[in-house]
């Protein structure tokens, strides 16, 4: 390793670290990091390299363990990075120990503990977070045990004191002697000891109370209750959904077209995801009632997307639709099944409170539609928990061999076991070979892919077995297994295998899935995806083109990448309808939260969507794609974006899983709602040590129009005072030329001119429009058709400011985060260097009173007065009244 030594001697420590990683020499890696001038910065560099350039999972874990050891050897360790490494290593015990030590320290250490917990929550790895929470001591148990000890000491002292009192009273007796007086002195000493012990006990109990309060707050963050509640408040208060767009879509959709009717319901759910605003549904109940059978299932499930995160009131919100009396209610099974699915969406990844109810609902029904909804709901609520009891109940539904219920059971088993690489994958594969139902085989194939999520080379044996299977549906599942096992790794071997299947497999479904899977593998390097799939996007096979479109959409979601837009643009006008559908949805994913000031393609794309929706002759598939594209483009009240990776570089498991199942809408439309799992609020939420939001301002050091909300759709105007230019027909031009020729000939002959021609000439020569306005002849109107009074030139508008002042909490999109600055003299300072998402704030002037932000939380009433019954003040108007007509006189 002379090269490494040479690099270190030359002071090029980054090159030394890179070479040591390439050669897999941990000893040289440790040496290069330790000898560098800035050890902390070199550790951060090494951590970033290990996530992007180390292919083998086992060696990566060895590197991470080394990084943790080196961090802990520093005088002031970077606990944020240490805990991220421990999360990669799946070591909840050490994370719990670090958090426990931090909250025992001062306020700054406590803020750091809260920040670590918020950063871990953003990764959305529920099993790990629950293990960390359960590894922390219970503050109630700790306090009660200490109280027992203190109580024992106090009672013993009281007993000693009472003895002293007896002896003191005995001193007044004539029988007292010197020994009794001595005992009285001992009693006084015991009383003094009692006073000091009581003071120490009160101080200790106060410290214990502070510790218990901090522990409760910390566990609230790790369980998700606190961040979900804060996100719910933000999405509700900042909702900017444009209901006029939905109204336009609804009016343009034909009543008989059930696909577009359902697509409008899906779009509404996505537009209002997490906002709790269901105004559109309440104001269009008659229109909504046209949904029947599975459309009714989807419409009911859409409420789960709208109210996602409403954990406290989720069940009461869905109560009118849920199965009653142990699953034998008199309602429609489609609405009941949809309600169970909705409960899963509301409690996705945080289902401790609802899991038992869903389990009982599944056990108490034999209806396949209700079983379908209950399985999907259970899979979402128990995501990744590997609960054996839930698994067995879902497996019993699978073994009924019902196609409808079995498909959902297969997906649910995968959701339950996601990322565990459990041996149950072999059991699922065996049943897939035994059953004759394609829907069940497909559900199990996707479920198996979920089981090997993130296992990389550990999953190669199972992947090889699936990709060599004779059944194309299992090979299709093998493509998703490759995608999820190697998600975000940009692994060359995985890319090579997917490209091989994309051009060689005999099944169009497998080829489509292989190309689409590239988007998951490359989601950590979105700039590479358009280049890799560019040739595939020009394939003669429409399925391959569709896969290329979705691969770009998945990988480049929310990036506004110009390369991605250039690739997708020709596909939006493809000759095949489903390719146009995929391209429109992918374009919406790429352009999420992108303004027209930043990319002019946004305005062009919105006009294209409007044209497709309003065109009565457009294909149903394209129209459906355009409607869903509207929902994705303005998702979550225009306050969320699709994020498959957290800000720390860890993959967001729930987001990747949701996006993978969303792509199955090709076969089953209700799975469209899974895309909501990949939405993440683009918010800056600053919190103090009490987890409250203080009022303060910070700066976005860039022009406001670059990252602002898009303007709301303007309602159509019924009257206009502006004089518009009139089109001039060729016949009118010829008529004018003939009239002028006739005038010239008569003038040369000395004959008087006709009155209307005279008027026309005077109007033309003077440039005045008075004659035109008074004369109603066709010749005169045509003659002055193009003369438009432009009026005085408008004064130049004020220049746009170069920065913007934002108030806590604020909408801050990912690309805007690097422009966020705290002004000089600001009372609050962030705990972490790059403030984004949930940010803990140090109060630099703690003696002054703090003004808190008034929260605009959604109401929590029953469905009769449900949230969303009224629109917040900042949401768009639903139905603007047109201006009344001007007074006129009717002439028959």
């Amino acid at each position: 390793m002379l090269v490494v030594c040479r690099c270190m001697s030359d002071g090029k420590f980054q090159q030394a670290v890179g070479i040591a990683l390439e050669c897999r020499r941990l000893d040289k890696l440790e040496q290069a990091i330790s000898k560098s001038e800035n050890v902390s910065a070199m550790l951060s560099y090494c951590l970033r390299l290990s996530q992007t350039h180390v292919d083998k999972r086992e060696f990566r874990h060895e590197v991470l363990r080394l990084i943790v050891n080196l961090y802990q050897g520093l005088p002031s360790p970077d606990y944020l990075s240490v805990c991220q490494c421990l999360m990669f290593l799946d070591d909840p015990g050490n994370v719990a120990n670090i958090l426990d030590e931090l909250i025992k320290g001062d306020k700054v250490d406590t803020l750091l503990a809260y920040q670590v917990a918020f950063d871990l929550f953003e990764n959305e790895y529920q099993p790990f977070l629950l293990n960390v929470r359960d590894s922390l001591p219970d503050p109630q148990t700790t306090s009660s045990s200490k109280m027992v000890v203190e109580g024992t000491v106090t009672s013993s002292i009281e007993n000693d004191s009472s003895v002293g009192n007896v002896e003191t009273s005995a001193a007044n007796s004539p029988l007292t002697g010197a020994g009794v007086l001595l005992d009285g002195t001992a009693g006084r000493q015991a009383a003094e000891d009692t006073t000091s012990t009581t003071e120490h006990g009160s101080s200790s109990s106060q410290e214990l109370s502070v510790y218990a309060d901090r522990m409760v707050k910390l566990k609230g963050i790790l369980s998700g209750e606190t961040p979900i509640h804060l996100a719910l408040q933000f999405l509700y208060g900042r909702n900017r959904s444009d209901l006029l767009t939905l109204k336009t879509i609804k009016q343009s959709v034909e009543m008989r077209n059930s696909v577009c009717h359902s697509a409008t319901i899906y779009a509404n759910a996505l537009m209002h995801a997490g906002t709790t605003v269901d105004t559109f549904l309440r104001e269009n109940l008659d229109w909504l009632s046209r949904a029947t059978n599975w459309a009714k299932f989807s419409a009911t499930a859409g409420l789960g997307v709208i109210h996602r995160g409403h954990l406290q009131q989720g069940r009461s919100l869905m109560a009118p639709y849920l199965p009653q009396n142990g699953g034998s209610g008199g309602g429609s099974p489609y609405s009941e099944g949809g309600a169970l699915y909705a409960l899963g969406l509301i409690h996705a990844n945080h289902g401790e409170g609802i899991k038992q109810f869903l389990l009982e609902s599944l056990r108490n029904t034999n209806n396949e539609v209700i079983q379908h909804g209950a399985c999907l709901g259970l899979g979402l609520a128990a995501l990744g928990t590997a609960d054996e009891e839930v698994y067995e109940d879902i497996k019993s539904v699978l073994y009924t061999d019902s196609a409808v219920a079995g498909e959902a059971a297969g997906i649910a088993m995968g959701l339950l076991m996601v990322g565990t690489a459990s041996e149950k994958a072999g059991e699922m594969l065996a049943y897939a070979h035994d059953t004759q139902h394609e829907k069940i085989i497909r559900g199990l194939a996707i479920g198996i892919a979920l089981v090997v999520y993130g296992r990389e080379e550990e999953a190669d044996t199972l992947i090889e077995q699936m990709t060599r299977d004779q059944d194309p549906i299992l090979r299709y599942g093998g493509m998703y297994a490759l995608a999820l096992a190697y998600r975000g790794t940009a692994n060359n071997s995985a890319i090579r295998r997917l490209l091989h299947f994309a051009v060689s497999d005999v099944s169009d479904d497998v080829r489509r899935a292989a190309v689409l899977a590239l988007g998951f593998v490359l989601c950590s390097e979105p700039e590479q995806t358009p280049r890799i799939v560019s040739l595939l996007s020009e394939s003669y096979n429409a399925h391959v083109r569709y896969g290329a479109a979705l691969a770009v959409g998945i990988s480049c979601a929310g990036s506004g990448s110009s390369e991605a837009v250039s690739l997708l643009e020709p596909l939006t006008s493809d000759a095949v309808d489903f390719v146009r559908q995929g391209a429109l949805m992918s374009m919406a994913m790429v352009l999420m939260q992108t303004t027209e000031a930043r990319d002019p393609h946004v305005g062009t794309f919105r006009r294209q969507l409007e044209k497709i929706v309003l065109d009565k002759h457009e294909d149903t598939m394209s129209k459906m794609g355009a409607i869903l594209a509207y929902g994705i483009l303005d998702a979550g009240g225009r306050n969320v974006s699709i994020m498959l990776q957290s800000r720390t570089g860890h993959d967001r498991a729930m987001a990747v899983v949701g996006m993978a199942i969303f792509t199955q809408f090709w076969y089953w439309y209700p799975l469209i709602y899974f895309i909501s799992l990949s939405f993440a609020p683009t918010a800056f939420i600053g919190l103090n040590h009490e987890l409250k939001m203080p009022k303060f301002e910070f700066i976005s050091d860039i022009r406001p129009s670059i990252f602002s909300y898009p303007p709301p759709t303007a309602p159509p105007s019924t009257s206009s005072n502006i004089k518009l230019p009139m089109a001039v027909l060729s016949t009118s031009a010829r008529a004018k030329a003939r009239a002028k020729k006739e005038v010239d000939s008569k003038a040369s002959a000395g004959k008087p001119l006709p009155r209307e021609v005279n008027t026309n000439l005077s109007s033309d020569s003077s440039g005045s429009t008075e004659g035109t306005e008074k004369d109603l002849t066709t010749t005169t109107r045509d003659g002055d058709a193009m003369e438009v009074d432009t009026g005085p030139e408008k004064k130049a508008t004020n220049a746009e400011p170069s920065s913007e002042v934002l108030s806590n909490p604020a909408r801050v999109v990912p690309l805007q985060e690097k422009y966020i600055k705290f002004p000089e003299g600001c009372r609050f300072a962030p705990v972490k260097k790059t403030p984004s998402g949930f940010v803990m704030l140090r109060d630099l002037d703690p003696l002054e009173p703090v003004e808190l932000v008034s929260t605009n939380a959604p109401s929590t009433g029953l469905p009769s007065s449900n949230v969303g019954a009224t629109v917040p003040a900042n949401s768009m108007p639903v139905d603007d009244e047109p201006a009344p007509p001007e007074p006129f006189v009717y002439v028959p």
Side-chain angles (χ1 to χ4, degrees), residues 266-571:
Y266 296 136
N268 170 64
L270 298 180
M271 279 187 186
H272 295 91
T275 64
T276 74
V277 177
D278 52 9
T279 310
F280 177 77
L281 299 179
R282 294 178 177 281
E283 295 189 349
N284 296 281
L285 291 176
D286 291 339
W287 174 83
L288 192 65
S289 64
R290 297 195 186 102
T292 57
N293 299 335
W294 285 107
K296 182 182 289 188
F297 177 94
S298 298
T300 311
L303 291 171
V305 177
I306 294 172
H307 294 283
R308 185 177 164 225
H310 214 160
L311 304 182
Q312 303 300 325
Q313 298 292 323
R315 187 170 169 184
S316 62
L317 288 167
M318 300 307 302
Y321 312 101
L322 290 170
Q324 306 294 327
N325 304 322
S328 58
S332 164
Y334 293 98
S335 60
E336 292 179 1
L340 295 173
Y341 181 20
L343 277 182
L345 290 165
I346 291 172
H347 295 265
N349 211 28
H350 302 281
E352 286 184 300
I354 203 66
K355 184 169 65 175
Q356 195 59 38
F357 173 77
L358 290 169
L359 200 56
E360 291 173 2
S361 299
L362 180 64
R363 290 170 178 167
N364 293 335
T365 184
N366 292 318
N367 187 292
E368 62 180 8
V369 178
I370 299 177
Q371 287 176 335
H372 184 93
C375 284
L376 290 176
L378 261 177
L380 286 164
L383 186 70
T385 57
D387 190 310
E388 284 292 333
E389 181 186 8
V390 176
Y391 178 84
E392 290 300 323
D393 279 301
I394 294 176
K395 187 170 73 171
S396 65
V397 173
L398 177 71
Y399 285 171
T400 60
D401 210 40
S402 163
V404 172
E407 181 183 28
I411 295 174
M413 291 162 78
L415 290 170
L416 189 66
M417 296 290 174
V418 65
T420 60
S422 169
E423 295 179 357
K424 292 181 171 59
E427 183 182 330
M428 295 164 69
L429 186 59
Y431 189 79
H433 282 121
D434 292 341
T435 186
Q436 300 298 313
H437 294 291
E438 285 190 4
K439 290 173 74 70
I440 295 179
I441 298 172
R442 187 174 296 109
L444 286 169
I446 298 301
I448 294 168
L450 294 172
V451 172
V452 297
Y453 175 89
R455 307 306 288 200
E456 298 180 33
E457 61 270 7
E458 188 182 337
D460 281 348
T461 304
L462 184 60
I463 291 171
E464 189 71 17
Q465 187 178 353
M466 294 180 74
T467 54
R468 290 183 178 274
D469 201 285
Q470 292 184 349
D471 190 338
I473 301 177
L474 289 176
R475 294 203 303 276
Y476 172 90
M479 299 303 104
Y480 276 93
L482 255 174
L484 297 179
Y486 289 93
R487 80 285 167 269
T489 61
N491 184 281
N492 286 329
S493 173
I495 294 171
R496 195 179 304 113
R497 280 186 281 176
L498 289 171
L499 289 173
H500 169 71
F501 282 103
V503 297
S504 65
D505 201 277
V506 296
S507 168
D508 284 337
D509 288 349
V510 177
R511 296 179 69 178
R512 184 181 70 247
V515 183
L516 188 150
L518 290 168
F520 291 100
V521 177
L522 292 166
C523 67
S524 60
E525 299 183 14
E527 65 279 356
Q528 300 290 338
T529 313
R531 179 179 58 82
I532 291 176
V533 304
S534 59
L535 288 177
L536 295 171
S537 68
E538 299 171 3
S539 170
Y540 70 92
N541 189 313
H543 291 264
V544 173
R545 298 199 301 274
Y546 175 91
L550 274 188
V552 171
I554 291 167
S555 178
C556 304
S559 67
S561 166
S562 57
E563 293 85 359
V565 171
S566 300
L567 185 142
L568 291 170
E569 212 165 17
L571 293 177

Side-chain angles (χ1 to χ4, degrees), residues 184-223:
T185 306
R188 284 193 297 274
Q189 182 65 39
E192 292 174 4
D193 292 343
T194 303
T195 305
S196 62
T197 306
T198 304
E199 292 175 355
H200 175 71
S202 62
S203 174
S204 175
S205 63
Q206 185 177 3
E207 291 177 3
L208 188 63
S209 174
V210 171
Y211 171 77
D213 181 59
R214 291 175 177 178
M215 184 62 74
V216 169
K217 287 184 170 67
L218 182 64
K219 289 192 172 186
I221 298 170
L222 291 170
S223 66

